[in-house]
Amino acid sequence: MKPGPRVVAIGGGHGLAMLLKAVGTYAGHTTAIVATGDDGGSSGRLRECIPMPAPGDLRRCIAAVSPNRELAEAMEHRFTDGDLAGHAVGNLVLAGLVDAGHDLVAAAASLSRWLGVDPEVVQVLPATDSPIDLVAETPEGTVRGQVEIEAAGRLVHIAVDPADPPVPPAATEALQQADQIVLGPGSFYTSVLAAAVVPGIQRTIAGRRGRFVFVANLQADETGVKNVDLAGHLRVLGLHDLTPDVVVTQRGGLPLGDVTAASPEVEVVEADIDRPHGLAHDSDLLGAVLAGLI
């Protein structure tokens, strides 16, 4: 392991892929814990054929940390015609490994090795290696599945079904040993919380020794929390027993609201962490801020 802190990054989608690049600028070892509840797109179609967790976010994160850019880009390639239209090559590789008898942890380790990812520096793990569905509570009732949740209105709470799926031992160990745990950014309910509310992950975060940092989105335009300020996000995290020690937010970005009332003990760090166009986080700028919070 190279010198530096042990950091665990939790979430999914493009947000987690960016976060891994940020964490990689200062961490000695990084563990990604990735949401696997997606039931749409390529992942959803593969799950209809093979009983497995969603592979898409795992593929994206492995590609993001791979030093072999040619192979990483190949894994990200999506077919455009025929029966394979919409599928990413890496999704098919992971699904093929699972269908051949590997669990998703072993499949992700194999793909990581093939793409030149050094396990002494970074490992990418699913939040659970058994199939799960996301279940959300709304004021109108229960909504099931990521696709339906993303189409729903205001969300109150999100959980997984089965209620307490197995968590890879390596994920639990990484959380227990972490000097820093970083959650987000990304789609708040269907990526960020989707990984963290797996009960085995949630319980281990509660017993952490390292600092727990939440990276806020640049604006509140995601599923279930439209027009909600930073305090609103913190209230939702608290409802899910995920109260961070520190929250990092773009200076002048997401409105703060009454943070003290929402989470009295949280430290708020406002910094310039976005790209010049203001539509995405800058991994180098975010990495510098996170490094200062160790």
Side-chain angles (χ1 to χ4, degrees), residues 220-259:
D221 61 352
E222 61 273 44
T223 299
V225 286
K226 291 180 173 62
N227 303 316
V228 173
D229 53 25
L230 181 62
H233 287 73
L234 291 173
R235 280 192 291 271
V236 173
L237 288 172
L239 288 173
H240 291 83
D241 297 321
L242 292 165
T243 301
D245 301 304
V246 186
V247 58
V248 176
T249 188
Q250 168 63 34
R251 182 182 289 111
L254 189 68
L256 297 182
D258 193 346
V259 170

Side-chain angles (χ1 to χ4, degrees), residues 193-208:
L193 285 177
V197 300
V198 173
I201 302 294
Q202 194 178 49
R203 289 190 295 266
T204 311
I205 292 174
R208 65 190 176 271

Side-chain angles (χ1 to χ4, degrees), residues 2 12 25 53 95 164 233:
K2 69 178 184 180
T25 64
D164 197 359
H233 287 73

Side-chain angles (χ1 to χ4, degrees), residues 46 50 52-60 62 75 88-100 102-112 114:
L46 288 170
I50 304 169
M52 65 179 294
D57 286 355
L58 273 173
R59 177 214 80 240
R60 181 176 288 114
I62 293 169
M75 291 301 105
V89 171
N91 288 3
L92 297 176
V93 172
L94 289 169
L97 288 167
V98 171
D99 194 49
H102 299 273
D103 63 27
L104 193 57
V105 174
S110 293
L111 183 59
S112 295
W114 297 338

Side-chain angles (χ1 to χ4, degrees), residues 141-186:
T142 301
V143 179
R144 185 181 186 90
Q146 180 169 321
V147 172
E148 294 299 321
I149 289 170
E150 289 176 342
R154 181 173 175 268
L155 305 178
V156 177
H157 191 271
I158 196 164
V160 296
D161 182 30
D164 197 359
V167 170
T172 301
E173 181 180 355
L175 286 165
Q176 291 170 337
Q177 296 179 353
D179 299 300
Q180 184 184 67
I181 300 168
V182 188
L183 179 66

